Each structure stands twice: as structure tokens, then as C-alpha cells.
Amino acid sequence: MYRTYIARQAIMDREARTMGYELLFRDSPENKFPEIDPDIASSKLIVQNHIHGDIEAITMGKKAFINFTEQYLINKFPLLFDPKSIVIELIGHSTTNERLTKIIQFYHQRGYEIALSEYDMDEKWYSLFPYIDYVKVDIDKINPKRLIGTAKQFRDHNVKLVAEKVESKHQILSLVEVGFNFYQGYFYHEPEIVEGQTIAPMKAQMLNLMGEAFKSPLNFDAIADIISHDVQLSVGLLKMVNNVATGTRVEITSLKQAAAYLGEEKLRQFVSILALSKMSTEKTDEAAKQALITARLMDVLADTATFSSVKEYAFITGLLSAIEVLLGQSMEEIVKHMPLAENIELALLGRNGLLGELLILTTEYILGQNDQMNDKLSSYDINPSFMHERFVSASEWCKSLTEA
């Protein structure tokens, strides 16, 4: 029985809202859909058991862009998925022909959205435009301005342009002018630095709350005082107590008592998660979700022998990994205002130390940035199957938080 492992990368719209994720399936160093038994029954079983059940959790209800070669299309693998949940991304095609056109028509007629990848601006692709919904352009290979002359072809067929390998907000501004609708890359991890900008009062309060959560021992009076100034935080704290006290009736008479009831570890996580959600905006929502998944996955990996010595700091480090995006300030400036342990600072500022290694490993896995991931996991004595299961679990956990 083969096993697949899933990484993801967000695809954003012009307002930096997540419209979908490209899912990357791995079972070897090659970043491609695994070679599987040609027997259709076995193939269906593998896809259903190891891919289909994980998609909703990993994409959190957004579209899943899945790479399919022509052979997989012929084998009708996409039919295993709801047309509303996936986008068929064509890969491995250097040219078009009558057979490919008929295949695309087949899925188009059944309501599937289709994305043309590896687009090279050749007119040969025009014959597919009536049946596809997205054209993905690698802006490292094609100068986006060259597409201005062919923009009418896209508009006439309502084909949306997706830019790949986007690395900065500056690039997005020029891509909007060309006519791109969506963007894929690591740009949403890059902080927007505005000289002279100060943190907004609400964000400053949340940062102060997170700072209190890192102090040891915790000052429950200080935390309760900050929480008391925000109705949502207060209600959230009481709900958390209710969840922890399942099967037991707990009479809470004050926010301080509620905070103390949770205990230091759960209170730290609660405070950090709520503060993060309060600091995020519509434009930074993806970064906040990414941080939550990173925090959860790092916390679980810190239970393994290799990373057990940094267990105490793993969750908070993952949660803060996107803080510069949320606040629009450099990490160097942010850590000045937070009483962080030295190893957390080293991990956040330079990915240094064992905690930094854990942050790199987790981030690379989630984003599919390392083609040698299985080898890297082995070097840390982590089973790839365990990593995959924990990633899906972290995604489900994040989904449950963001839907609450």
C-alpha cells in the first residue's frame, strides 16, 4: 500500500484573501503525484483513503488545486472528487492535441473547473480557452508585461490569470495592472515595513497580553485585567473554562479565577490564540491560519525525542512566526517589546538553535518547500506517516478555531 503526504500553498486574490490552495502530494523526493497501481479499483481506494479524506481539513473549505497528468485524467481520478471542491490543474503538457481537448471538454461538461499550468504564451493553447477557468503563469519564466497583448483572449473566455512565484507586495501591484486575478507564492509571509509606523492601540493591547502570557510565573491579575477590557476575550475565556471542565460543574466568580482554573499551559495557549486572531485582518487572515497550524504542529513534534528539550517554547514560537506580517513591523522591532526567552528570539530572528530547526522543518513541510523532506524527517527520527497525520490534525484544529 502506497502512502501520500500533502503540503499546500495558498492562492490569493487581489485583496490578499485566500481563494484556494494548491495541494502537493508526496511519497518520494519528487514533488509529484505518486506512481500507483494501474488497476482502477486499487487506485480509487488509494485516492479515497489517503487524499480525499484530508482535503476538507487541509483547505478549510477553500478550492483545492490538484495536479493531474493526462493519464490520471484518462483514468478519471478527478471524478472521485466533488466538482465544487477541486480545480483540475493540468501538468506535463508541452502541446495540445485533439485527445487532450476532448478530455478537457469531458470534465468541463461535468462542472469541474480547470487550470492550465506551464503556460508558455503559444497560440496553440487558445483552443482550450473555452473549457478552462484559470491560466497559471510562472513569472520567473515569463515577463508578465508580455501578456498585455493577449489579455483580450483571456477576457473573451472569462479565463482568470494566476501568477506563480510571487515573492513581494511590490510585484502584486504591477501584476494587477497587467490583469492578473490571483497570486501564488510566499509573498504573504513577507512583512510590510512602513517607516515610522506605530502599532495600533488594539494591536498594542493584544501584544501586551501575549507578553504577559510569556512571563513565568504568570501574573493572573494582570492577564485578567487586560482580558476584562475586551468582551470577546472575556467570553472566550469563559467558554474555554467550560470546554476544559467537561462533566464537571465549575462556578466562576471572576476572570482571574477563570484564568487560574485553566492553569498556566492552557492559559498561555488560549491567550496567544485569541490575541493572534484579534490582531489579524482580512488581508492577513492566511498568515494567522498558517501560524496556528505551525504552532500546533511544532507543539506535537516537540513531543518527539529529538525536540523534547524545546517543548516548552514550541507552540509560542510557531504562533509568533507570522507576527511581523500581522503587525506590519520587522521581527527585530517586535521582539524588543516582548519578554521572550532567548531561544525563542534566536528561532524567530535567525531560525537558529534546535527551536529554529523545528520551525524550519515545520514550515518547509506545510509549504512543501523541501524536495528532500522524507530524508530530512528521517534525520530527525520522525516517521513521514506520523508527520502527515499530525499535519492533517493541526489543520482540522485550526479549522475548528476559525469556524467557532
Side-chain angles (χ1 to χ4, degrees):
M1 179 69 72
Y2 291 91
R3 182 76 194 196
T4 57
Y5 306 99
I6 305 176
R8 72 178 196 179
Q9 188 176 56
I11 300 173
M12 321 287 279
D13 66 13
R14 293 178 178 178
E15 301 300 321
R17 296 171 300 201
T18 306
M19 62 81 69
Y21 295 92
E22 180 174 358
L23 298 188
L24 308 171
F25 300 101
R26 300 174 179 275
D27 71 344
S28 69
E30 289 80 29
N31 184 17
K32 63 180 182 181
F33 198 102
E35 293 296 330
I36 56 179
D37 193 307
D39 181 84
I40 294 298
S42 297
S43 298
K44 286 184 178 181
L45 184 63
I46 291 168
V47 173
Q48 287 172 326
N49 286 353
H50 300 299
I51 299 174
H52 190 248
D54 297 336
I55 280 185
E56 185 178 353
I58 293 174
T59 64
M60 291 183 278
K62 304 296 184 180
K63 288 276 189 179
F65 282 64
I66 302 177
N67 296 336
F68 290 99
T69 63
E70 188 170 322
Q71 188 58 47
Y72 294 132
L73 295 176
I74 292 172
N75 287 342
K76 299 184 179 179
F77 285 170
L79 296 184
L80 296 169
F81 303 99
D82 184 340
K84 296 179 181 178
S85 68
I86 72 165
V87 175
I88 296 172
E89 186 165 336
L90 307 177
I91 62 167
H93 299 93
S94 59
T95 187
T96 185
N97 52 48
E98 185 178 352
R99 183 174 71 167
L100 178 61
T101 301
K102 288 183 178 179
I103 292 172
I104 301 309
Q105 286 177 314
F106 172 83
Y107 288 103
H108 173 74
Q109 290 167 357
R110 281 157 180 77
Y112 287 88
E113 288 191 319
I114 299 166
L116 173 63
S117 191
E118 302 167 2
Y119 177 66
D120 59 6
M121 293 194 63
D122 195 293
E123 293 183 3
K124 64 192 175 191
W125 302 113
Y126 289 174
S127 63
L128 295 182
F129 280 12
Y131 316 111
I132 64 176
D133 303 272
Y134 307 94
V135 166
K136 301 185 77 174
V137 180
D138 185 339
I139 62 173
D140 276 352
K141 297 179 179 179
I142 297 177
N143 186 332
K145 292 183 179 180
R146 292 176 58 197
L147 294 167
I148 295 176
T150 59
K152 187 176 184 302
Q153 292 288 341
F154 299 114
R155 288 197 303 271
D156 288 348
H157 296 288
N158 197 29
V159 174
K160 303 294 190 299
L161 282 175
V162 182
E164 296 183 293
K165 306 289 180 64
V166 181
E167 302 296 337
S168 70
K169 298 289 186 181
H170 175 72
Q171 284 179 306
I172 292 179
L173 295 177
S174 60
L175 291 169
V176 169
E177 294 178 1
V178 173
F180 279 85
N181 307 93
F182 303 105
Y183 315 93
Q184 183 176 355
Y186 304 130
F187 70 90
Y188 58 86
H189 289 288
E190 194 165 303
E192 296 180 83
I193 308 301
V194 181
E195 294 296 331
Q197 179 180 356
T198 58
I199 301 175
M202 187 275 288
K203 291 186 176 182
Q205 183 187 29
M206 293 303 102
L207 200 59
N208 183 32
L209 180 59
M210 292 181 76
E212 286 291 340
F214 301 140
K215 292 180 179 179
S216 185
L218 282 179
N219 185 332
F220 290 101
D221 284 314
I223 289 179
D225 182 62
I226 297 173
I227 291 176
S228 69
H229 290 87
D230 190 290
V231 175
Q232 286 181 298
L233 291 179
S234 300
V235 172
L237 175 60
L238 296 176
K239 284 184 177 180
M240 183 70 172
V241 170
N242 183 61
N243 291 338
V244 172
T246 302
T248 305
R249 178 173 175 77
V250 179
E251 294 185 358
I252 299 298
T253 58
S254 68
L255 290 176
K256 178 184 177 181
Q257 181 194 356
Y261 182 84
L262 289 180
E264 292 199 3
E265 182 179 357
K266 289 188 180 299
L267 183 61
R268 282 194 175 97
Q269 292 195 9
F270 161 78
V271 164
S272 300
I273 291 168
L274 278 189
L276 187 73
S277 66
K278 295 282 283 185
M279 285 189 287
S280 66
T281 65
E282 191 175 72
K283 291 187 177 183
T284 58
D285 181 60
E286 178 59 34
K289 290 177 181 176
Q290 195 76 26
L292 286 168
I293 294 173
T294 302
R296 184 72 162 187
L297 191 53
M298 285 183 66
D299 189 51
V300 171
L301 293 179
D303 287 328
T304 63
T306 304
F307 296 109
S308 60
S309 63
V310 295
K311 170 68 175 179
E312 180 182 356
Y313 313 105
F315 185 88
I316 296 300
T317 301
L319 204 65
L320 292 176
S321 62
I323 194 71
E324 56 186 345
V325 180
L326 302 183
L327 296 182
Q329 293 193 333
S330 70
M331 190 67 78
E332 289 81 0
E333 285 298 315
I334 293 170
V335 298
K336 289 179 182 178
H337 304 287
M338 305 185 75
L340 300 176
E342 183 180 4
N343 56 352
I344 296 179
E345 286 194 13
L346 290 173
L348 292 174
L349 292 174
R351 303 300 192 260
N352 296 318
L354 185 61
L355 195 60
E357 290 182 38
L358 178 57
L359 179 57
I360 292 172
L361 176 67
T362 306
T363 303
E364 286 184 349
Y365 187 89
I366 293 172
L367 297 176
Q369 292 175 326
N370 191 334
D371 290 341
Q372 306 296 325
M373 180 53 67
N374 281 3
D375 292 338
K376 188 165 187 176
L377 289 172
S378 296
S379 71
Y380 289 113
D381 198 27
I382 296 175
N383 187 294
S385 180
F386 170 82
M387 185 72 164
H388 169 73
E389 291 167 359
R390 297 287 79 77
F391 169 48
V392 173
S393 177
S395 299
E396 291 173 339
W397 175 77
C398 177
K399 185 172 184 285
S400 70
L401 288 178
T402 53
E403 288 182 344

Coordinates of all heavy atoms in Angstrom, one line a residue, residues 285-357:
D285 N -5.4 37.2 7.2 CA -6.0 36.0 7.7 C -5.2 34.8 7.4 O -5.1 33.9 8.2 CB -7.4 36.0 7.2 CG -8.2 34.8 7.7 OD1 -8.4 34.7 8.9 OD2 -8.6 33.9 6.9
E286 N -4.7 34.7 6.2 CA -4.0 33.5 5.8 C -2.7 33.3 6.6 O -2.4 32.2 7.1 CB -3.6 33.5 4.3 CG -2.8 32.4 3.8 CD -3.5 31.0 4.0 OE1 -4.7 31.0 3.9 OE2 -2.8 30.0 4.3
A287 N -2.0 34.4 6.9 CA -0.8 34.3 7.8 C -1.2 33.9 9.2 O -0.5 33.1 9.8 CB -0.1 35.7 7.8
A288 N -2.3 34.3 9.7 CA -2.8 33.9 11.0 C -3.1 32.4 11.1 O -2.7 31.7 12.0 CB -4.0 34.7 11.4
K289 N -3.8 31.9 10.1 CA -4.1 30.5 10.0 C -2.8 29.7 9.9 O -2.7 28.6 10.5 CB -5.0 30.2 8.8 CG -6.4 30.7 9.0 CD -7.2 30.5 7.7 CE -8.6 31.0 7.8 NZ -9.4 30.9 6.6
Q290 N -1.9 30.2 9.1 CA -0.6 29.5 8.9 C 0.1 29.4 10.2 O 0.7 28.4 10.6 CB 0.3 30.2 7.9 CG 1.4 29.4 7.3 CD 1.0 28.4 6.3 OE1 0.0 28.6 5.7 NE2 1.7 27.3 6.2
A291 N 0.1 30.5 11.0 CA 0.7 30.5 12.3 C 0.1 29.5 13.3 O 0.8 28.8 14.0 CB 0.7 31.9 12.9
L292 N -1.2 29.4 13.2 CA -1.9 28.5 14.1 C -1.5 27.0 13.8 O -1.3 26.2 14.7 CB -3.4 28.7 14.0 CG -4.0 29.9 14.7 CD1 -5.5 30.1 14.2 CD2 -4.0 29.8 16.2
I293 N -1.5 26.7 12.5 CA -1.1 25.3 12.1 C 0.3 25.1 12.5 O 0.7 24.0 13.0 CB -1.4 25.1 10.6 CG1 -2.9 25.2 10.3 CG2 -0.8 23.8 10.2 CD1 -3.2 25.2 8.9
T294 N 1.2 26.0 12.2 CA 2.6 25.9 12.6 C 2.8 25.7 14.1 O 3.5 24.8 14.5 CB 3.4 27.1 12.1 OG1 3.2 27.3 10.7 CG2 4.9 27.0 12.5
A295 N 2.1 26.5 14.9 CA 2.2 26.3 16.3 C 1.7 24.9 16.8 O 2.4 24.3 17.6 CB 1.3 27.4 17.0
R296 N 0.6 24.5 16.3 CA 0.1 23.2 16.7 C 1.0 22.1 16.3 O 1.3 21.1 17.1 CB -1.3 23.0 16.1 CG -2.0 21.7 16.5 CD -2.5 21.8 17.9 NE -3.5 20.8 18.2 CZ -4.3 20.7 19.3 NH1 -4.1 21.6 20.3 NH2 -5.1 19.8 19.5
L297 N 1.5 22.1 15.1 CA 2.4 21.1 14.6 C 3.7 21.1 15.3 O 4.2 20.0 15.7 CB 2.6 21.2 13.1 CG 3.3 20.1 12.3 CD1 2.5 18.8 12.6 CD2 3.3 20.4 10.8
M298 N 4.3 22.3 15.6 CA 5.5 22.3 16.3 C 5.3 21.8 17.7 O 6.2 21.1 18.3 CB 6.0 23.8 16.4 CG 6.6 24.3 15.1 SD 7.3 26.0 15.3 CE 8.6 25.8 16.5
D299 N 4.2 22.0 18.3 CA 3.9 21.6 19.7 C 3.9 20.0 19.7 O 4.4 19.4 20.7 CB 2.6 22.1 20.2 CG 2.3 21.9 21.7 OD1 3.2 22.2 22.5 OD2 1.3 21.3 22.0
V300 N 3.3 19.4 18.7 CA 3.2 18.0 18.7 C 4.6 17.4 18.4 O 5.0 16.4 19.0 CB 2.2 17.5 17.6 CG1 2.3 16.0 17.3 CG2 0.8 17.9 18.0
L301 N 5.3 18.0 17.5 CA 6.7 17.4 17.1 C 7.6 17.6 18.3 O 8.6 16.8 18.4 CB 7.2 18.2 15.9 CG 6.5 18.0 14.6 CD1 7.2 18.8 13.5 CD2 6.5 16.5 14.2
A302 N 7.3 18.5 19.2 CA 8.2 18.7 20.4 C 8.0 17.6 21.4 O 8.7 17.5 22.4 CB 7.9 20.0 21.0
D303 N 7.0 16.7 21.1 CA 6.8 15.5 22.0 C 7.8 14.4 21.6 O 7.9 13.4 22.3 CB 5.4 15.0 21.9 CG 4.4 15.9 22.6 OD1 4.8 16.5 23.7 OD2 3.2 16.0 22.2
T304 N 8.4 14.5 20.4 CA 9.3 13.5 20.0 C 10.7 13.7 20.7 O 11.0 14.8 21.2 CB 9.6 13.6 18.4 OG1 10.2 14.9 18.1 CG2 8.3 13.5 17.7
A305 N 11.5 12.6 20.7 CA 12.7 12.6 21.4 C 13.7 13.7 21.0 O 14.3 14.4 21.8 CB 13.4 11.3 21.3
T306 N 13.7 14.0 19.7 CA 14.7 14.9 19.1 C 14.4 16.3 19.6 O 15.4 17.1 19.9 CB 14.6 14.9 17.5 OG1 14.8 13.6 17.1 CG2 15.6 15.9 17.0
F307 N 13.1 16.7 19.7 CA 12.8 18.1 20.0 C 12.2 18.3 21.4 O 11.7 19.4 21.8 CB 11.8 18.7 19.0 CG 12.4 18.8 17.6 CD1 12.0 17.9 16.6 CD2 13.4 19.7 17.3 CE1 12.5 18.0 15.3 CE2 13.9 19.8 16.0 CZ 13.5 18.9 15.0
S308 N 12.3 17.3 22.3 CA 11.6 17.3 23.6 C 12.2 18.4 24.5 O 11.5 19.0 25.3 CB 11.7 16.0 24.3 OG 13.1 15.6 24.5
S309 N 13.4 18.8 24.3 CA 14.1 19.8 25.1 C 13.5 21.2 24.9 O 13.7 22.1 25.7 CB 15.6 19.8 24.9 OG 15.9 20.2 23.6
V310 N 12.8 21.4 23.7 CA 12.3 22.7 23.5 C 10.7 22.7 23.5 O 10.1 23.6 23.0 CB 12.7 23.3 22.1 CG1 14.2 23.5 22.1 CG2 12.3 22.3 20.9
K311 N 10.1 21.7 24.1 CA 8.7 21.5 24.2 C 8.0 22.8 24.7 O 7.0 23.3 24.3 CB 8.4 20.3 25.0 CG 6.9 20.2 25.4 CD 6.0 19.8 24.2 CE 4.6 19.6 24.6 NZ 3.7 19.3 23.4
E312 N 8.6 23.3 25.8 CA 8.0 24.5 26.5 C 7.8 25.7 25.6 O 6.9 26.5 25.8 CB 8.9 24.9 27.7 CG 8.4 26.0 28.5 CD 9.3 26.4 29.6 OE1 10.3 25.7 29.8 OE2 9.0 27.4 30.3
Y313 N 8.6 25.8 24.6 CA 8.6 27.0 23.7 C 8.1 26.8 22.3 O 7.9 27.8 21.6 CB 10.1 27.6 23.6 CG 10.8 27.6 24.9 CD1 11.8 26.7 25.2 CD2 10.5 28.6 25.8 CE1 12.5 26.8 26.4 CE2 11.2 28.7 27.0 CZ 12.2 27.8 27.3 OH 12.9 27.9 28.5
A314 N 7.8 25.6 22.0 CA 7.4 25.2 20.6 C 6.1 25.9 20.1 O 6.1 26.5 19.1 CB 7.3 23.7 20.4
F315 N 5.1 25.8 20.9 CA 3.8 26.4 20.5 C 3.9 27.9 20.3 O 3.4 28.4 19.2 CB 2.7 26.1 21.5 CG 1.3 26.5 21.1 CD1 0.5 25.7 20.3 CD2 0.8 27.8 21.4 CE1 -0.7 26.1 19.9 CE2 -0.4 28.2 21.0 CZ -1.2 27.3 20.3
I316 N 4.4 28.6 21.3 CA 4.5 30.1 21.2 C 5.4 30.5 20.0 O 5.1 31.5 19.3 CB 5.1 30.6 22.5 CG1 4.1 30.4 23.6 CG2 5.3 32.1 22.4 CD1 2.7 30.9 23.5
T317 N 6.5 29.8 19.7 CA 7.4 30.1 18.6 C 6.6 30.0 17.3 O 6.7 30.9 16.4 CB 8.6 29.2 18.6 OG1 9.3 29.4 19.9 CG2 9.5 29.6 17.5
G318 N 5.9 28.9 17.1 CA 5.1 28.8 15.9 C 4.1 29.8 15.7 O 3.8 30.4 14.7
L319 N 3.4 30.2 16.8 CA 2.4 31.2 16.8 C 2.9 32.6 16.4 O 2.3 33.3 15.7 CB 1.7 31.3 18.2 CG 0.3 31.8 18.2 CD1 -0.7 30.9 17.4 CD2 -0.2 32.0 19.6
L320 N 4.1 32.9 16.9 CA 4.7 34.2 16.6 C 5.4 34.2 15.3 O 5.9 35.3 14.8 CB 5.7 34.5 17.7 CG 5.1 34.8 19.1 CD1 6.3 35.0 20.1 CD2 4.2 36.0 19.0
S321 N 5.5 33.1 14.6 CA 6.3 33.1 13.3 C 5.7 34.0 12.2 O 6.4 34.4 11.3 CB 6.3 31.6 12.8 OG 5.0 31.1 12.5
A322 N 4.4 34.4 12.4 CA 3.8 35.3 11.4 C 3.5 36.7 12.0 O 2.8 37.5 11.3 CB 2.5 34.7 10.8
I323 N 4.0 37.0 13.2 CA 3.6 38.2 13.8 C 4.1 39.4 13.1 O 3.4 40.5 13.1 CB 4.3 38.2 15.3 CG1 3.6 39.3 16.1 CG2 5.8 38.3 15.2 CD1 2.2 39.0 16.5
E324 N 5.2 39.4 12.3 CA 5.6 40.6 11.6 C 4.6 40.9 10.5 O 4.5 42.1 10.1 CB 7.0 40.3 11.1 CG 7.2 39.1 10.2 CD 8.6 38.9 9.8 OE1 9.5 39.8 10.0 OE2 8.9 37.8 9.4
V325 N 4.0 39.9 9.9 CA 3.0 40.1 8.9 C 1.8 40.8 9.5 O 1.2 41.7 8.9 CB 2.6 38.8 8.2 CG1 1.6 39.1 7.1 CG2 3.8 38.2 7.5
L326 N 1.4 40.3 10.6 CA 0.2 40.8 11.3 C 0.3 42.3 11.7 O -0.6 43.1 11.7 CB -0.2 39.9 12.5 CG -0.5 38.5 12.2 CD1 -0.9 37.7 13.4 CD2 -1.5 38.3 11.1
L327 N 1.5 42.6 12.2 CA 1.8 43.9 12.7 C 2.4 44.9 11.7 O 2.4 46.1 12.0 CB 2.7 43.8 14.0 CG 2.1 43.1 15.2 CD1 3.1 43.1 16.3 CD2 0.7 43.7 15.6
G328 N 2.9 44.4 10.6 CA 3.5 45.2 9.6 C 4.8 45.9 10.1 O 5.1 47.0 9.7
Q329 N 5.5 45.2 11.0 CA 6.8 45.7 11.5 C 7.8 44.5 11.5 O 7.4 43.4 11.4 CB 6.6 46.2 12.9 CG 5.8 47.4 13.1 CD 5.9 48.1 14.4 OE1 6.2 47.4 15.4 NE2 5.7 49.4 14.5
S330 N 9.0 44.9 11.5 CA 10.1 43.9 11.5 C 10.1 43.0 12.7 O 9.7 43.5 13.8 CB 11.4 44.5 11.2 OG 11.8 45.2 12.4
M331 N 10.6 41.8 12.6 CA 10.6 40.9 13.8 C 11.6 41.5 14.9 O 11.3 41.4 16.1 CB 11.1 39.5 13.4 CG 11.0 38.5 14.5 SD 9.3 38.1 15.0 CE 8.9 37.0 13.6
E332 N 12.6 42.2 14.4 CA 13.6 42.8 15.3 C 12.9 43.9 16.2 O 13.2 43.9 17.4 CB 14.7 43.5 14.5 CG 15.7 42.5 13.9 CD 15.2 42.0 12.6 OE1 14.1 42.3 12.2 OE2 15.9 41.2 12.0
E333 N 12.0 44.7 15.6 CA 11.3 45.7 16.4 C 10.3 45.0 17.4 O 10.1 45.5 18.5 CB 10.6 46.6 15.4 CG 11.5 47.6 14.7 CD 12.2 48.5 15.7 OE1 11.5 49.0 16.7 OE2 13.4 48.7 15.6
I334 N 9.6 44.0 16.9 CA 8.6 43.4 17.7 C 9.2 42.7 18.9 O 8.6 42.9 20.0 CB 7.8 42.3 16.9 CG1 7.0 43.1 15.7 CG2 6.8 41.5 17.7 CD1 6.4 42.1 14.7
V335 N 10.3 42.0 18.8 CA 10.8 41.3 20.0 C 11.3 42.2 21.0 O 11.5 41.8 22.2 CB 11.9 40.2 19.5 CG1 11.3 39.2 18.6 CG2 13.1 40.9 18.9
K336 N 11.6 43.4 20.7 CA 12.1 44.4 21.7 C 11.0 44.7 22.7 O 11.3 45.0 23.8 CB 12.4 45.7 21.0 CG 13.7 45.7 20.1 CD 14.0 47.1 19.5 CE 15.2 47.0 18.6 NZ 15.4 48.4 18.0
H337 N 9.7 44.5 22.3 CA 8.6 44.8 23.2 C 8.0 43.6 23.9 O 7.0 43.7 24.6 CB 7.5 45.5 22.4 CG 8.0 46.8 21.7 ND1 8.3 47.9 22.4 CD2 8.2 47.0 20.4 CE1 8.7 48.8 21.5 NE2 8.7 48.3 20.3
M338 N 8.7 42.4 23.7 CA 8.1 41.2 24.3 C 9.2 40.5 25.1 O 10.3 40.3 24.7 CB 7.6 40.3 23.2 CG 6.6 40.9 22.3 SD 5.9 39.8 21.1 CE 4.8 38.8 22.1
P339 N 8.9 40.1 26.3 CA 9.8 39.4 27.2 C 10.0 37.9 26.8 O 9.6 37.0 27.5 CB 9.2 39.5 28.6 CG 7.7 39.5 28.3 CD 7.5 40.2 27.0
L340 N 10.6 37.7 25.6 CA 10.8 36.3 25.1 C 12.0 35.7 25.6 O 13.0 36.3 25.8 CB 10.8 36.3 23.6 CG 9.6 36.9 22.9 CD1 9.8 36.9 21.4 CD2 8.3 36.1 23.2
A341 N 12.0 34.4 25.8 CA 13.2 33.6 26.2 C 14.2 33.7 25.0 O 13.8 33.9 23.9 CB 12.8 32.1 26.4
E342 N 15.4 33.6 25.3 CA 16.5 33.8 24.3 C 16.4 32.8 23.2 O 16.6 33.2 22.0 CB 17.9 33.7 25.0 CG 19.0 33.9 24.0 CD 20.4 33.8 24.6 OE1 20.4 33.4 25.8 OE2 21.4 34.1 23.9
N343 N 16.0 31.6 23.5 CA 16.0 30.6 22.4 C 14.8 30.9 21.4 O 14.8 30.6 20.2 CB 15.9 29.2 22.9 CG 14.8 28.9 23.8 OD1 14.1 29.8 24.3 ND2 14.6 27.6 24.2
I344 N 13.7 31.5 22.0 CA 12.6 31.9 21.1 C 13.0 33.0 20.2 O 12.8 33.0 19.0 CB 11.4 32.3 21.9 CG1 10.8 31.1 22.7 CG2 10.3 32.9 21.0 CD1 9.7 31.5 23.6
E345 N 13.8 34.0 20.7 CA 14.3 35.1 19.9 C 15.2 34.6 18.8 O 15.1 35.0 17.6 CB 15.0 36.1 20.8 CG 14.1 37.0 21.6 CD 14.8 38.2 22.2 OE1 16.0 38.4 21.8 OE2 14.3 38.8 23.1
L346 N 16.1 33.7 19.2 CA 17.0 33.1 18.2 C 16.3 32.4 17.1 O 16.7 32.5 15.9 CB 18.0 32.2 18.9 CG 19.0 32.8 19.8 CD1 19.8 31.7 20.6 CD2 20.0 33.7 19.0
A347 N 15.3 31.7 17.4 CA 14.5 30.9 16.4 C 13.7 31.9 15.5 O 13.7 31.7 14.3 CB 13.5 30.0 17.1
L348 N 13.1 32.9 16.0 CA 12.3 33.9 15.3 C 13.2 34.8 14.4 O 12.8 35.1 13.2 CB 11.4 34.7 16.2 CG 10.3 34.0 16.9 CD1 9.6 34.9 17.9 CD2 9.3 33.4 16.0
L349 N 14.3 35.2 14.9 CA 15.1 36.2 14.2 C 16.0 35.6 13.2 O 16.2 36.1 12.1 CB 16.0 37.0 15.2 CG 15.2 37.9 16.1 CD1 16.2 38.5 17.2 CD2 14.5 39.0 15.3
G350 N 16.6 34.4 13.5 CA 17.5 33.8 12.5 C 17.3 32.3 12.3 O 18.2 31.7 11.6
R351 N 16.2 31.7 12.8 CA 16.0 30.3 12.7 C 17.1 29.5 13.2 O 17.5 28.5 12.7 CB 15.7 29.9 11.2 CG 14.6 30.6 10.5 CD 13.2 30.3 11.3 NE 12.1 30.7 10.5 CZ 11.4 31.9 10.7 NH1 11.8 32.7 11.6 NH2 10.3 32.2 10.0
N352 N 17.7 30.0 14.3 CA 18.9 29.4 15.0 C 18.5 28.5 16.1 O 17.4 28.6 16.7 CB 19.9 30.5 15.5 CG 20.4 31.3 14.3 OD1 20.8 30.8 13.3 ND2 20.5 32.6 14.5
G353 N 19.4 27.6 16.5 CA 19.2 26.7 17.6 C 18.2 25.6 17.3 O 17.7 25.5 16.2
L354 N 18.0 24.6 18.2 CA 17.1 23.5 18.0 C 15.7 24.0 17.7 O 15.0 23.4 16.9 CB 17.2 22.5 19.2 CG 16.4 21.2 19.0 CD1 17.0 20.4 17.9 CD2 16.5 20.4 20.3
L355 N 15.3 25.0 18.4 CA 13.9 25.5 18.2 C 13.8 26.1 16.8 O 12.8 26.0 16.1 CB 13.6 26.6 19.2 CG 12.2 27.1 19.4 CD1 11.3 25.9 19.8 CD2 12.1 28.2 20.5
G356 N 14.9 26.7 16.3 CA 14.9 27.3 15.0 C 14.8 26.1 13.9 O 14.1 26.3 12.9
E357 N 15.5 25.0 14.2 CA 15.4 23.9 13.3 C 14.0 23.3 13.2 O 13.5 22.9 12.2 CB 16.4 22.8 13.8 CG 17.9 23.1 13.6 CD 18.8 22.0 14.1 OE1 18.4 20.8 13.8 OE2 19.8 22.3 14.7

